[in-house]
């Protein structure tokens, strides 16, 4: 219901002020009967308030803050991920019984679009001004000119943001999804960015012609089929002293440490429904979204990286943490 309301613009319409179902339907240009039944669900779930005297519906400001707008506070796009997950429950049940998993390809272009929608707000608001400065000297290096890669880049929006902010640097995005890469190419073309390019590639086998000064991985490692190989490839793709910047989910590797953490509820669930199964479908490690900081730091060390500095949670993003490390000189 949240996803439906988000798609139909109903939360934005309700945020404009108290209204009857007829007025809300008019604001959103929708059929009133559908709107009224949807409102019944949303009211019953405590998201919108209803006044039987006036027959008006009111979206409280504190709820509107989490359900409207283009910024990172809007959680409504995340509901669409649940809808996509639900389409594959029969396949997932089979994997529970027989092993294997639901491959990434089964989630289709809509999944890539949804992931882009969910991640776009945080990247726009936080990447350049709050995340990059966590690495001393990194923004200055990018200003002067550096070679930068993003592995498992998805739609590549992070690269588009960095490419616009640092025109003297060059950025390359790698992802196995052709749909995502095409979306990234279209965005940078529309923005007129000549310093951002993309390649369809399995990042576990990454062998760039020239090494990079920095490599990024945004929420990309834990659902890889071969995460250890990906980390080693990232290490080998860097110049000596080069920076590896990894953002991933902010949980412990130990279940007992995560009990009571509201982020754990979503992470274990979405990991079962997507992150773990897409890896197992390829005979992979099946790390899952809750691989945790202890496992992540161990795997970074095993890949050859040096000291790891963590920022938990990532500034402005409670569900994520940032790992910063380097290829030893």
């Amino acid at each position: 219901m949240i996803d439906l309301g988000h798609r139909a613009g109903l939360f934005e319409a309700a945020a404009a002020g108290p209204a009857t179902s007829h007025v809300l339907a008019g604001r959103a240009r929708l059929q009133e009967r559908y709107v009224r039944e949807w409102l019944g669900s949303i009211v019953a779930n405590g998201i919108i308030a209803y006044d039987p005297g006036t027959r008006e519906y009111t979206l409280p400001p504190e709820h509107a803050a989490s359900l409207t707008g283009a910024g990172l506070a809007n959680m409504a796009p995340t509901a669409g991920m649940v809808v996509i997950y639900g389409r594959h429950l029969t396949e997932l049940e089979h994997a529970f019984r027989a092993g294997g998993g639901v491959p990434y390809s089964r989630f289709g272009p809509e999944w890539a679009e949804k992931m882009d929608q969910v991640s776009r707000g945080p990247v726009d608001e936080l990447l350049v001004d709050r995340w990059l400065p966590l690495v001393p000297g990194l923004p200055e290096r990018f200003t002067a000119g550096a070679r930068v890669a993003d592995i498992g880049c998805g739609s590549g929006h992070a690269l588009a943001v960095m490419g616009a902010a640092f025109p003297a640097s060059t950025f390359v995005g790698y992802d196995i999804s052709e749909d995502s890469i095409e979306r990234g190419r279209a965005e940078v073309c529309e923005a007129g960015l000549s310093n951002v390019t993309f390649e369809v590639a399995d990042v576990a086998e990454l062998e760039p012609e020239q090494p990079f000064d920095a490599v990024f991985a945004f929420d990309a490692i834990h659902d890889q089929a071969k995460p250890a190989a990906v980390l080693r490839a990232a290490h080998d793709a860097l110049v000596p002293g080069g920076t590896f910047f990894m953002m991933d989910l902010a949980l412990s590797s130990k279940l007992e440490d995560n009990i009571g953490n509201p982020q754990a509820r979503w992470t274990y669930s979405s990991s079962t429904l997507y992150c773990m199964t897409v890896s197992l479908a390829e005979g992979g490690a099946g790390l899952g979204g809750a691989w945790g900081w202890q496992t992540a730091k161990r795997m970074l060390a095993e890949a050859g990286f040096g000291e790891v500095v963590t920022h938990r949670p990532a500034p402005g993003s409670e569900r994520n943490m940032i790992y910063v490390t380097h290829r030893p000189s």
Side-chain angles (χ1 to χ4, degrees):
M1 291 294 102
I2 291 174
D3 184 43
L4 185 57
H6 172 67
R7 289 168 179 253
L10 278 161
F11 291 119
E12 302 288 347
T20 65
S21 60
H22 287 277
V23 171
L24 281 176
R27 288 177 185 170
R29 298 182 179 180
L30 302 171
Q31 299 296 312
E32 187 276 337
R33 183 64 188 93
Y34 279 99
V35 170
R36 180 161 30 106
E37 202 72 3
W38 176 84
L39 283 164
S41 171
I42 296 299
V43 169
N45 278 285
I47 297 171
I48 284 180
Y50 176 61
D51 183 339
T54 63
R55 296 190 176 183
E56 287 187 328
Y57 299 83
T58 301
L59 179 63
E62 64 274 20
H63 294 185
S66 298
L67 294 168
T68 61
L72 61 89
N74 187 355
M75 295 299 294
T78 307
M81 298 171 72
V82 180
V83 175
I84 297 173
Y85 291 153
R87 296 173 187 165
H88 303 284
L89 287 183
T90 299
E91 298 167 83
L92 189 60
E93 180 191 358
H94 176 77
F96 264 68
R97 300 181 188 280
V102 183
Y104 174 81
S105 59
R106 291 286 295 131
F107 289 85
E110 188 180 8
W111 172 255
E113 181 179 351
K114 183 56 63 177
M115 285 297 294
D116 175 69
Q117 189 178 22
V118 168
S119 64
R120 189 167 286 257
V123 167
D124 286 340
E125 295 184 29
L126 302 170
L127 176 56
V128 172
D129 294 332
R130 300 191 64 185
W131 294 345
L132 295 186
L134 295 174
V135 187
L138 193 64
E140 291 78 10
R141 286 166 59 194
F142 285 8
T143 298
R147 278 181 47 80
V148 184
D150 183 356
I151 56 175
C153 67
S155 69
H157 183 60
L159 292 169
V161 169
M162 289 190 287
F166 303 103
S169 291
T170 58
F171 301 86
V172 184
Y174 299 95
D175 200 279
I176 202 168
S177 168
E178 293 185 15
D179 293 318
S180 295
I181 291 298
E182 286 305 314
R183 181 181 294 273
R185 287 171 176 162
E187 179 174 352
V188 299
C189 180
E190 183 177 352
L193 297 173
S194 60
N195 61 335
V196 182
T197 58
F198 296 93
E199 295 183 25
V200 176
D202 181 349
V203 292
E205 301 175 2
L206 183 64
E207 294 182 357
E209 293 183 2
Q210 297 180 12
F212 295 101
D213 298 296
V215 173
F216 289 80
F218 294 99
D219 283 326
I221 302 301
H222 63 258
D223 52 9
Q224 296 290 327
K226 301 175 182 177
V230 172
L231 291 175
R232 184 68 201 186
H235 170 276
D236 293 350
L238 285 165
V239 299
T243 300
F244 183 54
F245 183 109
M246 182 175 78
M247 174 173 282
D248 218 292
L249 298 166
L251 289 181
S252 168
S253 303
K254 301 176 181 179
L255 173 60
E256 59 268 29
D257 295 341
N258 298 326
I259 297 172
N261 181 344
Q263 302 299 332
R265 303 173 188 176
W266 169 258
T267 300
Y268 282 110
S269 300
S270 61
S271 180
T272 305
L273 294 163
Y274 175 76
C275 306
M276 184 183 71
T277 193
V278 296
S279 176
L280 293 176
E282 305 299 330
L287 279 180
W291 64 318
W293 63 266
Q294 297 96 326
T295 298
K297 292 183 73 171
R298 172 178 59 77
M299 293 183 68
L300 287 167
E302 291 171 352
F305 289 105
E307 180 184 1
V308 179
V309 176
T310 60
H311 301 272
R312 183 174 45 153
S317 180
E318 285 289 326
R319 77 186 194 98
N320 289 307
M321 63 183 292
I322 291 171
Y323 303 77
V324 178
T325 187
H326 299 82
R327 177 176 181 170
S329 300

